[in-house]
Amino acid sequence: AQSVTQLDSHVSVSEGTPVLLRCNYSSSYSPSLFWYVQHPNKGLQLLLKYTSAATLVKGINGFEAEFKKSETSFHLTKPSAHMSDAAEYFCVVRALFPDRDDKIIFGKGTRLHILP
Amino acid sequence: EAGVTQFPSHSVIEKGQTVTLRCDPISGHDNLYWYRRVMGKEIKFLLHFVKESKQDESGMPNNRFLAERTGGTYSTLKVQPAELEDSGVYFCASSHPGLQETQYFGPGTRLLVL
């Protein structure tokens, strides 16, 4: 079975400081992992994805995430927060079942607040 | 390239009424998915179309929900009759053919059942 846990429902950081959004996953199979972002009244936008290639994945807008199998983590980071980063972020795990359609499992989301 | 579009953006209806949500996927995307986020909960899978065929509808909550994708283009999701617990945001996503292709999401339809 697959599951994903976003450890913080809300994170607040000051503009210009680093961002860390935490995500832990559980998967019976080799997972693909994603981070999506949703700005108010917008659709979910793909930030980055991991699909068993390089463990450090670079995404859009300066975000990156590192797949750590030993820790079953896929935390999202950014060196310097910008006001436009304020949004809700979703960690997503996806596994390909050998005999069924693949499933995509969402975390509950983390709201990122940027303080001026 | 136009993204995934959904209509309406918001809908407020009374319990017992019918509502139909529409999703237009990105052109050429055979895969179309419906998801729902009930307030305070995570986004959950409802069903998956490949072209006009339902590949997986294991996430559909009950038989008050009916999804169609006639012709393999746009899709509709009908809720009849709506109940209070159906309130939430309904997302649609589409992707290229293939199981591991990235899903592109629409902005969602916010449904409120009173």
Side-chain angles (χ1 to χ4, degrees):
Chain A
Q2 275 60 238
S3 68
V4 59
T5 302
Q6 291 184 243
L7 295 145
D8 306 294
S9 58
H10 293 265
V11 170
S12 295
V13 301
S14 297
E15 190 175 20
T17 64
V19 175
L20 170 65
L21 304 184
R22 298 182 293 166
C23 172
N24 286 94
Y25 71 91
S26 171
S27 178
S28 304
Y29 301 89
S30 296
S32 295
L33 292 157
F34 306 77
W35 276 97
Y36 282 87
V37 61
Q38 185 181 22
H39 288 91
N41 299 316
K42 301 281 189 177
L44 290 154
Q45 180 184 20
L46 180 68
L47 274 179
L48 50 83
K49 65 178 180 180
Y50 165 78
T51 54
S52 75
T55 56
L56 181 61
V57 183
K58 293 188 184 299
I60 62 171
N61 300 335
F63 284 94
E64 62 182 39
E66 186 171 7
F67 174 72
K68 293 187 176 180
K69 187 175 182 179
S70 61
E71 298 176 11
T72 61
S73 70
F74 190 58
H75 301 333
L76 181 70
T77 60
K78 182 174 180 177
S80 177
H82 190 273
M83 293 300 290
S84 61
D85 295 328
E88 190 165 19
Y89 293 77
F90 295 92
C91 183
V92 176
V93 65
R94 183 177 185 178
L96 185 60
F97 292 80
D99 57 351
R100 293 166 55 189
D101 193 12
D102 67 319
K103 295 295 185 195
I104 186 168
I105 307 294
F106 281 81
K108 290 189 174 183
T110 298
R111 285 198 181 272
L112 177 63
H113 305 272
I114 310 298
L115 307 172
Chain B
E1 180 183 83
V4 177
T5 58
Q6 292 187 245
F7 182 83
S9 59
H10 296 77
S11 180
V12 181
I13 61 173
E14 293 186 349
K15 175 182 172 181
Q17 290 185 318
T18 298
V19 63
T20 300
L21 314 180
R22 173 171 169 146
C23 168
D24 285 78
I26 293 171
S27 177
H29 282 193
D30 288 348
N31 289 317
L32 188 150
Y33 304 82
W34 283 99
Y35 296 87
R36 177 173 75 168
R37 188 181 193 190
V38 172
M39 187 175 292
K41 305 279 189 177
E42 61 270 31
I43 299 170
K44 287 201 171 177
F45 167 84
L46 295 179
L47 86 158
H48 171 204
F49 283 99
V50 177
K51 296 185 180 179
E52 66 275 9
S53 299
K54 291 177 185 174
Q55 184 77 10
D56 181 355
E57 51 184 333
S58 61
M60 294 287 265
N62 51 62
N63 59 10
R64 295 185 293 102
F65 289 75
L66 175 64
E68 294 181 323
R69 194 183 181 194
T70 307
T73 54
Y74 71 92
S75 175
T76 58
L77 179 65
K78 181 191 286 188
V79 185
Q80 179 183 29
E83 297 289 343
L84 300 178
E85 63 265 25
D86 301 332
S87 297
V89 183
Y90 290 77
F91 292 101
C92 175
S94 71
S95 70
H96 281 297
L99 287 175
Q100 289 294 332
E101 292 295 323
T102 297
Q103 296 184 20
Y104 295 89
F105 283 78
T109 293
R110 284 148 186 80
L111 174 65
L112 179 60
V113 182
L114 301 174

